[in-house]
Amino acid sequence: MLSRAARAGAKAAHGASSNSKLCSKLYSSSSVLSSPEMHGTTILAVRKDSTLCMIGDGQVSLGSIVVKPNAKKVRRLRPNIVTGFAGSTADAFTLLERLESRIEAFEGQGITRPCVELAKAWRTDKYLRRLEAVLLVADRKNTYELTGNGDVLESSDGIMGVGSGGAYALAAARALKDVEGMGAEEIARKAMEVASDMCVYTNKEFVVEVINLDDEEEEGEEEGKKKNEGKEEEEEEEKKDEDEK
């Protein structure tokens, strides 16, 4: 049998242990409140017929609070290159700057090489690997998803979605792709409406960028015409020189 003093000491020790556990819980709760989870957004790219459409919502959420409803998360880097991001805004802008520098370094070679080079740096660089964001990059020929794991994922059907509501938008867009009379932009907008109705971190303040895929053929035809005209002019000048001689 324990003496009264021993029992009192045991109760005091148990009370101290309970208080320490309570303090630990309170501390962990306060730390969560002081640094709430940053939730993503929804970015969707749809490629159909002669049009590529990339669309994103404008909501920025910090925990359960909507910080900004009209952020621009879809941007045009070049006349024929568009990109969208989900995740931390500061991290995404850092990655976009790196992507632009690589596009400049490999100008005229499309987006495949720049995306691969960025993914390699993102995976191996000690600073970049801490950045928390996902990029969706598209041009007239390709659509890629870039992640911090070194992934460069390509769409198999011309449709890709990222962010907290990306799966909803992707499923809706795939369901609508074969509907006759619906273009890429119409499909993208409808799919984003579905995602915004299901994902609490996605709103209806959409930002849209569209690329006309026929422009490349038209530019190629114009360049071909210019080359042919230049050759004809050179031939005419050569003939004139020969006649003068």
Side-chain angles (χ1 to χ4, degrees), residues 94-141:
T94 301
L95 292 168
L96 288 178
E97 289 176 0
R98 300 297 182 98
L99 178 62
E100 283 192 272
S101 65
R102 280 159 176 77
I103 291 174
E104 291 176 359
F106 303 102
E107 193 73 44
Q109 299 184 32
I111 61 172
T112 302
R113 181 73 182 276
C115 287
V116 171
E117 293 297 325
L118 176 61
K120 287 165 59 178
W122 194 353
R123 175 64 175 170
T124 57
D125 189 274
K126 292 182 180 180
Y127 169 69
L128 291 180
R129 72 174 60 170
R130 298 180 180 179
L131 302 182
E132 298 179 356
V134 180
L135 298 183
L136 206 59
V137 187
D139 65 357
R140 292 191 179 105
K141 295 181 179 179

Side-chain angles (χ1 to χ4, degrees), residues 27-84:
Y27 177 77
S28 62
S29 299
S30 63
S31 63
V32 170
L33 290 174
S34 62
S35 57
E37 181 182 357
M38 176 69 77
H39 291 278
T41 183
T42 301
I43 306 294
L44 177 68
V46 178
R47 188 185 300 268
K48 183 178 180 180
D49 298 332
S50 61
T51 305
L52 166 70
C53 177
M54 185 174 290
I55 184 171
D57 77 303
Q59 181 169 316
V60 178
S61 303
L62 190 61
S64 59
I65 301 172
V66 177
V67 180
K68 187 176 182 180
N70 58 346
K72 187 177 180 181
K73 304 171 190 176
V74 175
R75 297 174 180 272
R76 188 180 292 267
L77 301 182
R78 293 287 190 279
N80 61 339
I81 300 176
V82 293
T83 183

